[in-house]
Amino acid sequence: MPDEMSSLPGPRLGAVRVGGPQPLPAGVRDAADLPRHDGQHPPAASAEPPRRDGPVDAGAVRTAAMVEATAALHEGLGRLCPDTPGPALSAELMGREGVVPSDDADSTQRDRRLHAALISPVRHLLDAGGKRWRAHLMARVLEIYGVSPHHYAELIAACEMGHAGSLMVDDVEDTSPVRRGSPAAHMLFGEATAINAGTAAYFSVDRAIRRCFPGDAELRLAVYETYLANLRATHAGQALDIQGHQREMTAALATGDPEPLLNMLTLTHRLKTGAQVRAVCEIASLAGHATPQQRSALGEFGEAVGLAYQITDDVSDLRGVIHRDRATKRVAEDLHNAKVTFPLAHTVTLLPRDEAESLWRTLQAEPDEGAVRRAARTIDASGAVQRCEEQATALLDQAWTAVRPYLPDSPHTTALAEAATAVVHRTWNT
């Protein structure tokens, strides 16, 4: 089953095409040939798009954006998460920047141990693949304000590292054996190391901020505050997710009213998934010197994209997630764990009460593979998947309608909308 929902419409942009990488525009052979910002003084936000000579090739802008973001991401990962140990990396990991590292045999052993414990587990997950769309959204927002992603390569990379860290911890909490088609980090490195390395990955943003904003204390503080506020939110969402929604599901079946359940699910994932994407958009807008109104609007947009993505992710889990012809986790893993998802919650009103109650009892009784697959087919056939698709589409459309007046009329703005559409519709590829 392909990991795709191409039937979903996106934000109303007219004839907008979505998708992943395309051939480089004519005359461009490499990312280095693409136009770049000078990397010294990012321009302040402007209500007007940059002036250009002649007509703008939207396809070329889209392709250039993909190439630039990918190159910046790899550049930043090479600096923050290199595949080899070294004294400078160890100094950063230990919070000892500026301290001259020793260069003896003991320090070499220290470097190897720190790299093995803090970097290798994260690289394992990063090297396994992933769509890396959060990093690309950050790059899209930067480009709206005329800033090359290369100027903030470490910040873009830290966004991806932080997300990888959250997945590593999540896999331990959910006892998930597989991530991105490979053994989950805790299966190779052990639970303690996976938790510690995953948590340490959150602090890669601190390392990136120190590199990207060395001389602007006010901007650095604003980025720190934005990141930490949203990090608190993601942990609050994860707390609600760990507790689960079994009680609300049982109550919804008893009363026939799913609204309290759906409200709690929505809050959980606005915090757990939406806040992470909000941080990406807000930090990029800060780096681009957007106005406070633009920053707020982009943050709301990012949060909505994250929530809409979670809804379609629940649908993908139900059907099985395939990326690049490889299963990234088992079919209906959430149902195996009796986890209440958006499709399952919608069965409260879409199935007859006795059938919905029977379905819920089956999932709570540790069903075998066959029973889980039958449950998944029942949920799909009930119309719950279609309702989720419609809900995600409405969220994305409303969010774009709200943010669009705050953004310049430029191909980079359109590129942001296209990227968000592809992410939510599960057609994004890098």
Side-chain angles (χ1 to χ4, degrees):
M1 186 76 65
D3 182 16
E4 183 171 315
M5 298 181 202
S6 56
S7 61
L8 285 171
R12 296 187 177 93
L13 298 170
V16 168
R17 293 188 295 120
V18 300
Q22 302 178 31
L24 290 171
V28 177
R29 294 174 298 174
D30 186 83
D33 298 326
L34 294 165
R36 295 186 181 180
H37 187 264
D38 65 14
Q40 298 301 316
H41 304 288
S46 170
E48 297 297 326
R51 293 183 180 276
R52 294 179 175 84
D53 296 325
V56 175
D57 183 341
V61 170
R62 181 169 53 248
T63 301
M66 182 67 72
V67 173
E68 282 275 281
T70 300
L73 174 59
H74 285 292
E75 180 183 331
L77 288 175
R79 294 171 184 167
L80 294 183
C81 196
D83 56 7
T84 56
L89 174 64
S90 294
E92 283 195 4
L93 294 175
M94 296 187 298
R96 296 294 185 268
E97 296 93 338
V99 177
V100 178
S102 56
D103 193 23
D104 53 25
D106 288 343
S107 66
T108 300
Q109 179 66 2
R110 173 207 63 200
D111 297 342
R112 289 174 178 168
R113 291 187 62 177
L114 287 172
H115 189 276
L118 296 176
I119 300 297
S120 292
V122 179
R123 283 201 64 92
H124 164 72
L125 185 55
L126 292 172
D127 292 343
K131 297 188 176 183
R132 303 185 175 182
W133 58 264
R134 293 164 183 82
H136 280 264
L137 281 189
M138 177 176 277
R140 294 294 194 279
V141 174
L142 286 169
E143 289 178 325
I144 285 175
Y145 297 106
V147 181
S148 167
H150 287 275
H151 188 82
Y152 293 113
E154 293 95 336
L155 202 60
I156 291 171
C159 158
E160 192 61 32
M161 288 178 64
H163 173 59
S166 72
L167 296 180
M168 292 165 60
V169 175
D170 195 49
D171 285 342
V172 174
E173 293 169 343
D174 293 344
T175 63
S176 299
V178 177
R179 173 66 69 175
R180 296 175 176 172
S182 298
H186 66 90
M187 301 296 290
L188 296 180
F189 299 92
E191 291 186 358
T193 294
I195 291 171
N196 191 57
T199 304
Y202 302 154
F203 297 100
S204 61
V205 172
D206 173 48
R207 296 164 58 205
I209 290 171
R210 291 169 182 269
R211 287 168 174 257
C212 293
F213 308 104
D216 193 332
E218 184 176 353
L219 180 56
R220 189 165 63 245
L221 176 61
V223 173
Y224 272 126
E225 290 180 341
T226 298
Y227 176 69
L228 291 173
N230 284 288
L231 187 61
R232 291 199 307 272
T234 59
H235 280 75
Q238 181 71 347
L240 295 174
D241 196 48
I242 291 170
Q243 287 179 325
H245 302 86
Q246 288 83 358
R247 182 179 299 177
E248 289 87 354
M249 182 70 183
T250 300
L253 288 167
T255 63
D257 178 13
E259 186 171 353
L261 168 62
L262 289 169
N263 287 343
M264 186 58 71
L265 268 178
T266 298
L267 173 63
T268 297
H269 295 298
R270 275 194 180 279
L271 294 170
K272 179 181 176 181
T273 308
Q276 192 179 71
V277 189
R278 172 186 279 273
V280 164
C281 293
E282 289 186 341
I283 290 172
S285 65
L286 281 166
H289 298 280
T291 67
Q293 293 80 9
Q294 290 170 325
R295 185 167 71 247
S296 176
L298 279 164
E300 291 291 332
F301 175 70
E303 184 175 298
V305 169
L307 176 58
Y309 173 81
Q310 182 62 55
I311 294 170
T312 58
D313 191 63
D314 282 358
V315 171
S316 293
D317 179 87
L318 197 65
R319 294 172 167 175
V321 179
I322 303 293
H323 182 52
R324 294 177 180 170
D325 300 321
R326 184 175 64 170
T328 61
K329 59 181 179 178
R330 63 178 173 174
V331 174
E333 184 170 303
D334 289 336
L335 297 187
H336 276 283
N337 297 325
K339 185 174 182 178
V340 181
T341 62
F342 282 99
L344 180 59
H346 284 303
T347 63
V348 172
T349 55
L350 292 173
L351 289 175
R353 179 175 293 187
D354 59 344
E355 189 174 347
E357 289 175 341
S358 175
L359 173 67
W360 181 228
R361 285 196 299 271
T362 297
L363 295 176
Q364 289 181 299
E366 299 184 1
D368 60 22
E369 186 74 26
V372 167
R373 288 181 178 269
R374 288 191 295 274
R377 288 195 294 270
T378 297
I379 295 170
D380 199 339
S382 74
V385 166
Q386 180 179 351
R387 183 166 291 184
C388 285
E389 292 172 349
E390 292 169 350
Q391 183 181 5
T393 298
L395 274 168
L396 182 60
D397 195 42
Q398 292 163 9
W400 182 250
T401 298
V403 75
R404 183 63 186 86
Y406 293 93
L407 303 178
D409 184 14
S410 88
H412 293 298
T413 294
T414 301
L416 174 64
E418 291 177 341
T421 300
V423 165
V424 172
H425 297 178
R426 318 295 294 189
T427 59
W428 175 267
N429 288 293
T430 57

